[in-house]
Amino acid sequence: MLHGDEHQMADQEEAKTVQLVDRVLERAVKNGASDIHIEPRSEEVRVRFRIDGVLVDRPPFALILGQSFTSRLKVMANVDIAERRLPQDGTFRFEFDGQTIDVRMSTFPTEHGEKVVLRLLIRDGATLNLKAIGLSKELRDKVRTISSRSLGMLLITGPTGSGKTSTLYSILNEIDADSRNITTLEDPIEYRFPNVIQGQTNQKIGFTFASGLRSILRQDPDVILVGEMRDGETADIAFKSALTGHLVLSSIHTNSAMETFVRLFDMGLERYVVASALDGLLAQRLVRKLCAYCRQQAPYDPDLNTLLSCNPTDDVSIYNSVGCAKCNGTGFRGRTGIFELIEVDDELNDIVKADSASYAELRQFLNDRGYHGLRNEGFSLLKRGITTLEEVYRVT
């Protein structure tokens, strides 16, 4: 039983922990972090923020505070405080600077204690738009044309962390939700929209993408957003929905357009279904943007000019990252997208549909059409002084 002085000390320690947790969360939001990593080590607790897709160290704190820090987060996420041997997942929400931030928490037992990763999700998706995420006017117009159709499939492709969800929501912002019934199925819901019906899967009770998609089809939808096509059953239902009077928006984890076609066929989808339903493949990556306050123009390099398909005598303005207080010493502030849209016209439709067509023929067709991959698109940002060569190579 605690005595008065011990009670007071315990309360002070708890208050200190609460302040530390709040300070870390608020600093992460101010820095624009997407994730917070709390990593207990032998002598201290390491803190890292994922900013613009890259982990950056932040001031560590004493190891003695590690357990109480994790316990505070567990209380906020409503998970078992006493369980330290097994990984746990939970969620909580907090308000800061007029924003509501949803947090997904994941714990993982390690040699020195539980590592915690927090994913920060800002709830308001109203500021997401196609221009802000980096699409050129030409691509914006093409995406709007596809998303204005009454049926068909627009598929966003790229690896984890390439911004697919932001693109999907930016497209939703372009669609009139008053005249069309828009229903989504997500895991999890990352942004909220006032006039969109949004559903979240729950594997524990059997509410999967496949079962949820079947139910959505009985809800008289005009537009269906499926957060991700993870299995053949979901993909089959989604593609057939796109053939039967619904506009379907979705994403898939692949590294290239060619890989997307291969993945869909490996999932068991029939070629004619893919060819007939698919209107467009939007491949993308995210690159960090150079900090405008400290970037420095790189010296002239004829080899680099040749790589960028420039005249060797032209002095293209290429910039290097430096680092300053404005960008937390990273040399970069914010990110933008690199995109390549493959439109499925009649000729490409016929090639995809034909059982005799090989992947080599499909690749050659795409090359002949001028689809040379995302690296070339990245080079255009490099020539405009927006990013660095290292960044383009890092993500492509």
Side-chain angles (χ1 to χ4, degrees):
M1 185 171 180
L2 293 176
H3 298 292
D5 289 345
E6 292 173 321
H7 267 299
Q8 188 176 1
M9 288 180 63
D11 289 343
Q12 289 173 349
E13 286 299 317
E14 183 179 352
K16 189 176 181 180
T17 301
V18 169
Q19 289 176 353
L20 179 60
V21 170
D22 289 347
R23 190 162 65 245
V24 170
L25 290 171
E26 290 170 5
R27 186 178 294 165
V29 175
K30 286 180 180 178
N31 289 173
S34 61
D35 301 84
I36 303 170
H37 289 237
I38 308 298
E39 307 169 3
R41 299 295 182 91
S42 58
E43 297 178 352
E44 64 184 14
V45 177
R46 186 184 193 190
V47 179
R48 292 195 290 172
F49 294 170
R50 188 173 294 280
I51 301 173
D52 298 331
V54 176
L55 284 170
V56 179
D57 274 292
R58 286 294 171 256
F61 57 86
L63 189 61
I64 195 171
L65 294 173
Q67 186 174 312
S68 59
F69 190 98
T70 301
S71 295
R72 168 63 180 165
L73 290 172
K74 286 183 174 181
V75 169
M76 295 170 72
N78 196 28
V79 301
D80 187 354
I81 298 177
E83 180 56 77
R84 299 172 189 164
R85 302 165 302 171
L86 295 172
Q88 295 190 81
D89 296 302
T91 62
F92 63 90
R93 180 177 297 165
F94 72 98
E95 305 276 340
F96 175 68
D97 198 23
Q99 296 176 304
T100 300
I101 295 96
D102 286 322
V103 181
R104 295 207 320 255
M105 184 188 82
S106 171
T107 70
F108 186 81
T110 74
E111 178 186 3
H112 301 295
E114 292 174 280
K115 175 179 176 178
V116 181
V117 175
L118 305 171
R119 166 63 58 90
L120 308 183
L121 305 169
I122 298 175
R123 297 178 62 205
D124 181 15
T127 56
L128 288 170
N129 63 76
L130 295 175
K131 184 177 182 180
I133 63 174
L135 265 80
S136 65
K137 185 181 185 306
E138 180 185 5
L139 281 186
R140 293 199 301 271
D141 291 342
K142 289 180 178 180
V143 168
R144 286 172 182 144
T145 297
I146 294 174
S147 62
S148 67
R149 295 170 184 165
S150 59
L151 76 166
M153 166 77 75
L154 176 59
L155 199 52
I156 316 299
T157 76
T160 301
S162 59
K164 298 188 296 297
T165 300
S166 295
T167 301
L168 285 172
Y169 281 120
S170 297
I171 295 169
L172 274 196
N173 264 335
E174 299 279 335
I175 300 174
D176 182 6
D178 292 326
S179 63
R180 302 173 82 179
N181 176 16
I182 305 173
T183 307
T184 77
L185 189 60
E186 308 165 55
D187 179 26
I189 296 172
E190 296 192 19
Y191 304 95
R192 266 71 175 182
F193 294 87
N195 297 318
V196 174
I197 307 300
Q198 294 177 268
Q200 183 166 309
T201 61
N202 188 333
Q203 297 285 342
K204 293 178 182 177
I205 60 173
F207 185 35
T208 63
F209 276 110
S211 64
L213 192 47
R214 288 194 185 91
S215 297
I216 286 175
L217 292 172
R218 296 191 287 272
Q219 292 283 311
D220 186 31
D222 297 302
V223 181
I224 302 170
L225 185 149
V226 182
E228 183 184 343
M229 291 198 296
R230 297 176 180 172
D231 57 82
E233 185 180 11
T234 302
D236 186 61
I237 300 168
F239 269 85
K240 288 178 178 174
S241 300
L243 287 175
T244 56
H246 308 91
L247 175 68
V248 180
L249 310 172
S250 191
S251 72
I252 190 168
H253 287 284
T254 56
N255 291 323
S256 66
M258 268 304 306
E259 190 177 314
T260 301
F261 286 114
V262 173
R263 176 82 182 277
L264 292 172
F265 299 150
D266 285 347
M267 281 180 165
L269 271 69
E270 297 173 272
R271 280 176 171 260
Y272 81 90
V273 170
V274 173
S276 302
L278 192 60
D279 285 330
L281 276 176
L282 184 65
Q284 69 176 78
R285 297 289 190 278
L286 287 176
V287 293
R288 293 183 293 170
K289 295 192 294 183
L290 281 163
C291 174
Y293 293 94
C294 64
R295 67 174 188 172
Q296 288 184 355
Q297 188 163 355
Y300 170 69
D301 183 347
D303 292 336
L304 185 57
N305 276 28
T306 302
L307 175 68
L308 300 178
S309 301
C310 302
N311 187 319
T313 60
D314 292 340
D315 187 2
V316 180
S317 297
I318 307 299
Y319 290 83
N320 291 329
S321 61
V322 179
C324 65
K326 295 280 189 180
C327 59
N328 296 301
T330 64
F332 299 92
R333 292 187 74 192
R335 288 188 290 177
T336 191
I338 303 173
F339 301 91
E340 184 175 51
L341 177 66
I342 295 177
E343 297 174 278
V344 182
D345 57 14
D346 290 341
E347 194 172 355
L348 180 54
N349 187 311
D350 289 340
I351 291 176
V352 174
K353 199 180 295 184
D355 290 331
S356 59
S358 66
Y359 294 133
E361 290 174 293
L362 181 55
R363 184 181 292 106
Q364 186 60 50
F365 174 83
L366 294 175
N367 285 334
D368 292 344
R369 279 291 180 89
Y371 298 119
H372 299 309
L374 288 165
R375 181 164 292 179
N376 278 346
E377 299 301 317
F379 287 162
S380 69
L381 295 183
L382 182 64
K383 288 187 282 188
R384 287 156 53 196
I386 293 173
T387 192
T388 66
L389 184 64
E390 291 77 16
E391 270 296 291
V392 173
Y393 280 136
R394 182 178 70 85
V395 301
T396 61

